[in-house]
Amino acid sequence: MALMGDKARLLETGPFVHAPDDGRESELPPVADDATDAADTAEPPEAAEVLDEVGHRKAAAAGDPAAASMLGAMLLRRGDLDGAEPCLRTATVAGDRAAANNLGVLLHQRGYADEAAGWWRIAAVAGSAAAAHALGRHYRERGDEPAAEYWLRQAAESGHCLGAYALADLLDHRGEEGAEQWFVAAAERGHREAAYRLARILDEREADGSAYGEHAEPRAAAEQWYRQAAARGHRRAALHLGTLLEERGELKEAGRWYLIAAKDGEPRAACALGFLLKDAGDEESAAEWWRRAAQEGDGNAANALGALHADRGELQTAERWYRAALEAGDVNGAYNIGLLCAQQGSDGRSEQWYRRAAYAGHREASNALAVLLLQRGDASGAEPWFSKAAEAGSVDAAFNLGILHAGRGAERTSRKWYERAADAGHTEAALQAAISFLREGEWQDAERHLRRAAGAGSTEAAYRLAALLDREARGPEESGGESEEWYERAAEQGHRGAQVRMGMLAASRGDAVAAADWYRAAAEAGSRNAAFNLGLLLAREGSLPEAALWWTRAAEAGHGRAALRLALLAARRGALAESQRWCARAVELGPPEVTQRASRLSDALKEELSA
């Protein structure tokens, strides 16, 4: 509560003198505006203060009400209520406005709130902004918000810093307009909590994507107020400033603010500092800050410590920290213990912990529990947990629901979940949605999802997109070369079908070397089509022995045409029994035209062998 000493006096006739009051006087604890404003420390008076006190005592004893007011204020600040009260009452009776306000402070400290309010009202009517602020706080504590707003507005409009903050806080609590302007007024006068609250408003508005009025650079404005509050020792502002700087990549300065806040006792800053240090490779320092934060009840830091020990194979220590996280109210602790149990092959304990986290609303635990049940064959038990996780925003759960419904043949329901996961950035879900659209012949939707998946790095999507573009354009040339670009991307990532296609495109251009390279890569990876095509290429170049080797590999993998080629080669060199065996293989493998040709050749071989 503000102490006054402006020598404002009651006139002989009774009205109060309206003297300037900027609201910057020091506060006493009973009705402090917020926890971040420092309370008085009641340190021993310095020599100059002792001399002032002696002088005020003499003047007060001689009947000077101003001296009595000043003496009362000094004693009140020191905590000497018994000594201060008679001085303040004497000065108040004589018309001293500051004494009336300070008498209210004293009575409030003694527990006489209503009597204190009476004196504050007298001082406030006389123009004391500090008293108006105190009176407004009094009415707000009593639940009389209209009266509170009236007096707080009187204080704020008189330039009282704490009054501006308290009015802003009231308006913000009620969701009414005008709060921001009074936060600005208080922040501009150095109120650190007002600067922090203003920064939070701007930050939240940025997150909502709403307009900022006249603020051209909203995030910059938020940063400015965070900086002001942090520079004045506001640890939460230092934390948020560090977060903002870290998001921007300014890690060194972010770490400095985290360190300031962490040393001031902000556990979230200690936790954030730990992550920065870990990313920088200093695990030991990271662990120390996480330990400090965890001991202060930060569940995130406890989980980080658990993960650190788990990575080191120290599973018992990891579980101890995960349990500490859970005790701190962080349900991730239960989920992480479940993961730890799964890692150790203990599905029973894993399910127990997943359930605990899932019942607390942990979406990834719900998904993990559902996966566990599905692997056990309990699809009906898994589905509700997948649904709960997906509705809570789990992308993996949405994808898993797609798989679950696809297994039941519920194509449209499956596609709905695939699309939801794809919209949230799940690459495989986008591919599966595209495949579903391809089956339905909905080429445009299929292409949209294939482009999304291929752009995110899916090799299969790149291959299928190229094939779709080929189909729509009737060839790579008509597609403007785009299909070949996607084939090449998939081929370079090891897609065998794409490698075969790149070999065919190279061969069509007469580039036998490139064609052979692509075919060989696919064939060595197990593609029977590539092995067959490589054999054709080598045969055209006169390398029949090597061609036969690749045709043999293809035929043994189930390629009918390769078996027919081998039958023909064997027949030409007179190995009729061998040719007969390959003919039988070709008849078995097909396709129909190969079966027909192989049958005719086989019949001719039989005649030759029986002749």
Side-chain angles (χ1 to χ4, degrees):
M1 188 57 55
L3 292 174
M4 293 177 54
D6 61 3
K7 299 186 180 179
R9 297 285 308 281
L10 285 169
L11 298 177
E12 296 281 335
T13 54
F16 283 87
V17 174
H18 293 259
D21 176 15
D22 65 0
R24 295 298 293 271
E25 301 89 351
S26 58
E27 269 189 293
L28 289 175
V31 287
D33 283 78
D34 58 79
T36 62
D37 289 312
D40 292 82
T41 56
E43 293 180 355
E46 300 294 337
E49 290 182 9
V50 173
L51 293 175
D52 283 345
E53 183 179 338
V54 170
H56 291 321
R57 283 187 184 278
K58 288 181 180 179
D64 184 346
S69 177
M70 294 298 293
L71 178 59
M74 292 179 70
L75 295 172
L76 180 59
R77 183 176 285 109
R78 192 183 304 163
D80 184 359
L81 305 189
D82 291 335
E85 185 170 355
C87 298
L88 294 175
R89 287 190 179 276
T90 297
T92 299
V93 170
D96 190 295
R97 171 179 97 180
N101 176 64
N102 291 338
L103 180 57
V105 174
L106 185 147
L107 292 168
H108 188 280
Q109 288 196 28
R110 288 191 184 280
Y112 304 123
D114 292 335
E115 188 180 353
W119 289 111
W120 282 331
R121 180 181 291 276
I122 290 172
V125 169
S128 168
H133 164 247
L135 191 57
R137 289 296 305 271
H138 168 80
Y139 280 120
R140 187 171 182 191
E141 289 169 4
R142 293 293 187 276
D144 188 349
E145 291 193 356
E149 182 180 350
Y150 175 82
W151 289 110
L152 291 176
R153 196 172 292 278
Q154 294 293 318
E157 290 177 349
S158 298
H160 192 277
C161 176
L162 299 175
Y165 173 76
L167 175 60
D169 182 62
L170 176 62
L171 295 173
D172 187 52
H173 171 73
R174 297 201 311 223
E176 296 180 6
E177 294 184 3
E180 188 174 337
Q181 77 176 80
W182 290 112
F183 278 134
V184 170
E188 287 177 344
R189 298 183 71 84
H191 195 293
R192 67 185 187 183
E193 182 69 16
Y196 171 70
R197 294 276 295 275
L198 180 58
R200 294 298 297 148
I201 288 171
L202 295 172
D203 235 356
E204 288 167 9
R205 198 175 295 164
E206 166 76 9
D208 292 340
S210 50
Y212 276 81
E214 61 188 30
H215 293 286
E217 297 287 344
R219 204 67 192 271
E223 181 180 343
Q224 168 200 337
W225 293 116
Y226 279 139
R227 284 189 180 278
Q228 177 172 310
R232 297 178 73 86
H234 196 294
R235 68 189 191 188
R236 284 172 295 162
L239 166 66
H240 284 285
L241 178 57
T243 302
L244 188 152
L245 291 165
E246 184 179 358
E247 288 173 358
R248 210 161 61 205
E250 299 178 23
L251 303 185
K252 186 174 182 180
E253 189 180 1
R256 183 168 65 84
W257 286 110
Y258 284 150
L259 180 61
I260 289 170
K263 285 183 175 179
D264 199 28
E266 175 54 62
R268 290 174 296 172
C271 181
L273 180 59
F275 282 109
L276 276 188
L277 290 166
K278 182 179 184 297
D279 290 343
D282 189 353
E283 281 194 354
E284 293 307 315
S285 296
E288 179 57 36
W289 284 108
W290 282 334
R291 193 171 291 108
R292 289 194 195 186
Q295 288 167 352
E296 290 296 320
D298 189 287
N300 193 30
N303 273 314
L305 274 171
L308 187 66
H309 287 288
D311 288 342
R312 294 172 177 174
E314 301 164 356
L315 303 186
Q316 287 186 336
T317 306
E319 183 171 340
R320 179 167 61 83
W321 281 113
Y322 288 147
R323 287 180 181 272
L326 187 58
E327 289 169 5
D330 191 332
V331 73
N332 283 315
Y335 174 60
N336 286 333
I337 296 174
L339 292 175
L340 208 60
C341 294
Q343 181 183 337
Q344 295 171 288
S346 178
D347 285 349
R349 286 192 67 215
S350 181
E351 180 181 344
Q352 167 197 342
W353 287 106
Y354 285 153
R355 282 190 184 276
R356 182 168 179 176
Y359 279 121
H362 195 291
R363 66 188 190 190
E364 299 310 327
S366 298
N367 179 64
L369 175 59
V371 169
L372 205 61
L373 294 171
L374 192 61
Q375 289 172 342
R376 194 182 296 162
D378 185 3
S380 59
E383 185 176 354
W385 288 112
F386 277 140
S387 296
K388 183 177 181 180
E391 293 298 343
S394 170
V395 180
D396 287 339
F399 175 66
N400 290 335
L401 274 171
I403 295 174
L404 189 67
H405 287 288
R408 295 172 177 170
E411 183 80 11
R412 292 192 177 277
T413 305
S414 171
R415 188 197 304 165
K416 179 192 77 171
W417 288 111
Y418 283 145
E419 286 200 277
R420 179 180 291 197
D423 289 342
H426 197 291
T427 303
E428 183 62 22
L431 172 61
Q432 293 303 321
I435 291 172
S436 176
F437 282 119
L438 286 171
R439 280 196 293 264
E440 296 292 326
E442 299 177 31
W443 313 124
Q444 189 172 355
D445 287 329
E447 182 180 339
R448 173 168 57 86
H449 283 293
L450 285 173
R451 285 189 181 278
R452 173 184 281 173
S458 169
T459 302
E460 182 65 25
Y463 172 69
R464 287 177 178 267
L465 176 59
L468 180 60
L469 292 171
D470 262 2
R471 178 193 176 282
E472 292 177 334
R474 294 188 178 86
E477 295 79 11
E478 286 74 11
S479 72
E482 186 185 4
S483 64
E484 184 171 349
E485 290 176 11
W486 288 111
Y487 279 134
E488 185 171 11
R489 181 181 297 191
E492 287 174 346
Q493 293 171 356
H495 193 287
R496 295 182 304 182
Q499 289 171 337
V500 172
R501 187 62 180 161
M502 287 299 295
M504 292 170 66
L505 290 171
S508 69
R509 289 194 290 265
D511 189 347
V513 173
D517 287 342
W518 285 118
Y519 287 148
R520 195 179 301 277
E524 288 176 348
S527 171
R528 63 191 185 187
N529 287 331
F532 175 70
N533 288 350
L534 181 57
L536 289 177
L537 200 65
L538 292 166
R540 290 193 194 106
E541 294 178 349
S543 302
L544 277 176
E546 189 179 354
L549 291 175
W550 287 107
W551 283 336
T552 301
R553 181 182 292 193
E556 289 173 347
H559 199 288
R561 285 189 172 84
L564 180 57
R565 290 276 176 171
L566 288 169
L568 291 169
L569 277 182
R572 286 170 187 161
R573 67 171 186 268
L576 302 185
E578 181 185 346
S579 179
Q580 186 72 29
R581 287 196 303 274
W582 282 119
C583 278
R585 181 66 170 154
V587 168
E588 177 188 346
L589 295 173
E593 64 271 19
V594 169
T595 299
Q596 291 172 6
R597 291 181 62 192
S599 295
R600 289 196 299 269
L601 178 58
S602 179
D603 290 343
L605 289 171
K606 286 177 183 177
E607 291 179 8
E608 185 69 23
L609 287 168
S610 61

